[in-house]
């Protein structure tokens, strides 16, 4: 007669051993889910930060373009001022040459400056003869 071996051991999927495995699997699943939620929150925060950085980059790009335009205008103004200064120097030189040429060719002229004549105002007072120096 064959003896059946029924030692009372249970298969791995049943009894206390099965419950322990099931609890461990549940804990692992809970931890994985919590970690997933945490990573999703961090991803949202990173996206918000990236959006802010993009807006900041756009703003800086606009400011950079404006600064470049201002610099170009300043350069143009500087060139215009330099050109104007050069023209004034040339004009002064030409005026000096004309004055010199006229001075050497024209006879000396004496100019007399007449003293200002007094004027009578509407009240019959003579004006233009005294200067009030009191302040």
């Amino acid at each position: 007669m064959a003896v059946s071996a029924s030692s009372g051991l249970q298969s791995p999927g049943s009894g206390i051993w099965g419950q322990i495995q099931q609890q461990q699997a549940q804990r692992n699943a809970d931890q994985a889910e919590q970690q997933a939620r945490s990573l999703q929150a961090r991803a949202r925060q990173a996206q918000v930060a990236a959006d802010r950085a993009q807006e900041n980059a756009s703003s800086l790009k606009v400011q950079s373009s404006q600064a470049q335009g201002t610099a170009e205008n300043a350069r143009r103004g500087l060139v215009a001022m330099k050109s104007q200064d050069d023209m004034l120097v040339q004009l002064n030189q030409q005026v000096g040459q004309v004055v010199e040429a006229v001075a050497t060719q024209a006879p000396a002229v004496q100019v007399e400056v007449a003293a200002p004549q007094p004027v009578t105002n509407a009240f019959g007072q003579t004006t233009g003869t005294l200067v009030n120096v009191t302040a």
Side-chain angles (χ1 to χ4, degrees):
M1 191 170 172
V3 178
S4 71
S6 174
S7 62
L9 292 177
Q10 298 177 350
S11 67
S14 64
I16 294 177
W17 178 249
Q19 288 177 352
I20 292 172
Q21 286 181 325
Q22 190 176 21
Q23 289 173 351
Q24 184 63 38
Q26 182 65 42
R27 277 193 296 272
N28 290 344
D30 291 344
Q31 288 175 348
E33 188 175 342
Q34 184 178 6
Q35 186 177 15
R37 281 194 302 266
S38 174
L39 289 172
Q40 286 173 347
R42 288 176 56 195
R44 281 191 300 272
Q45 291 172 346
Q47 185 63 48
V48 167
D51 291 344
R52 285 185 191 139
Q54 183 66 36
E55 289 173 10
N56 190 29
S58 294
S59 175
L60 289 174
K61 187 175 180 180
V62 168
Q63 291 174 10
S64 171
S65 294
Q66 290 172 345
Q68 186 65 34
T70 300
E72 288 173 7
N73 287 339
R75 271 192 221 98
R76 280 191 220 110
L78 183 61
V79 167
M81 288 175 64
K82 174 74 171 128
S83 177
Q84 184 180 14
D85 285 348
D86 291 345
M87 286 189 322
L88 287 174
V89 167
Q90 290 175 356
L91 182 60
N92 282 336
Q93 289 172 348
Q94 290 174 356
V95 168
Q97 291 170 355
V98 169
V99 167
E100 187 177 317
V102 169
T104 58
Q105 294 177 2
V109 178
Q110 292 184 356
V111 178
E112 290 185 26
V113 178
Q117 296 298 317
V119 177
T120 304
N121 66 16
F123 299 107
Q125 301 168 331
T126 304
T127 60
T129 57
L130 295 175
V131 177
N132 185 357
V133 293
T134 59

